[in-house]
Amino acid sequence: MTSYVTSAAKAEINELRRLRGLLPPELQSWVTVEKTTEIDPPLVRCEELSRDEVEIAIDLVKWENLALDQRNLLFWHEVARIQNDTIPREGWEMAALAIGLGGAVGELWVQDGVLLLLALGLCGVSGYRLYQKNNSEKALQELLEADDKAIALATRFGYTLPNAYKSLGSALKTLIEQTPKKRLRKQYETRLDALRRSASKAKSQSKSKRTSRDVTQPSPYQL
């Protein structure tokens, strides 16, 4: 039993070390990769620990059920979100909204018009920022952009373009099959559809460069 636990711990350490090696050099000094300590965590997520430190936290129990190429592309998706500066942040908006609402109620009581307007203005600004952060269409677009950049990162690390598309497409298919939550599953399906369109576009752009013999072969971009 002790031997099994030790072996599992070594495997986790090796996987985290391997993933750190997949970070672009410009990120290695301020992005860390760790095993998540949450209860029922997502497969992988990013968190800003400070202004100059970001952590990628991974549920290694679920992670090890994925193929190596699937892991790599999902990891680079998170790296792309960091590079695109689209990871969630603990902001001031909720605190400001609470202060604004409290101030507005207080100023209604004392009937100070100027301070009431200031409190309502604070509520408006913080409320709008919260709306922007939780806009589902904007969040989905950011995920699609991260998928595109993950493909580019994969080619930077030695993948061919068709294999990069196939690996990410395979990972999304697996997540769709394993995800019971309807909303999250729909998000994966939307990403897979967008990835297929992107692969089709890449295929069209490369078609003119292929020989007539290559054209007769099955498409390497088929997801």
Side-chain angles (χ1 to χ4, degrees), residues 47 51 85 156 174:
E47 180 181 2
R51 295 187 65 180
D85 196 27
R156 178 177 171 182
T174 300

Side-chain angles (χ1 to χ4, degrees), residues 11 14 21 30 48 61 80 103 105-106 154 171 180 184 195-196 199 223:
N14 288 339
W30 57 280
E48 186 179 67
V61 175
V105 172
L184 185 56
L195 190 70
R196 284 170 172 154
L223 298 183

Side-chain angles (χ1 to χ4, degrees), residues 92-93 95-110 112-127:
W92 50 267
E93 292 88 355
L97 183 60
I99 293 170
L101 288 173
V105 172
E107 299 314 323
L108 280 173
W109 181 260
V110 300
D112 188 321
V114 174
L115 292 179
L116 176 60
L117 288 175
L118 288 174
L120 290 175
L122 181 59
C123 288
V125 172
S126 56

Side-chain angles (χ1 to χ4, degrees), residues 18-49:
R18 186 187 74 83
L19 292 173
R20 291 175 189 131
L22 296 180
L23 287 169
E26 62 270 20
L27 269 62
Q28 291 181 0
S29 63
W30 57 280
V31 176
T32 60
V33 186
E34 302 294 342
K35 175 184 177 181
T36 185
T37 57
E38 297 178 36
I39 298 175
D40 191 24
L43 175 66
V44 56
R45 66 163 179 77
C46 292
E47 180 181 2
E48 186 179 67
L49 302 180

Side-chain angles (χ1 to χ4, degrees), residues 66-82:
L66 298 169
L68 187 65
D69 287 339
Q70 293 175 334
R71 299 179 197 176
N72 290 349
L73 268 295
L74 291 175
F75 179 76
W76 282 321
H77 171 86
E78 296 303 315
V79 172
R81 293 179 66 211
I82 296 171

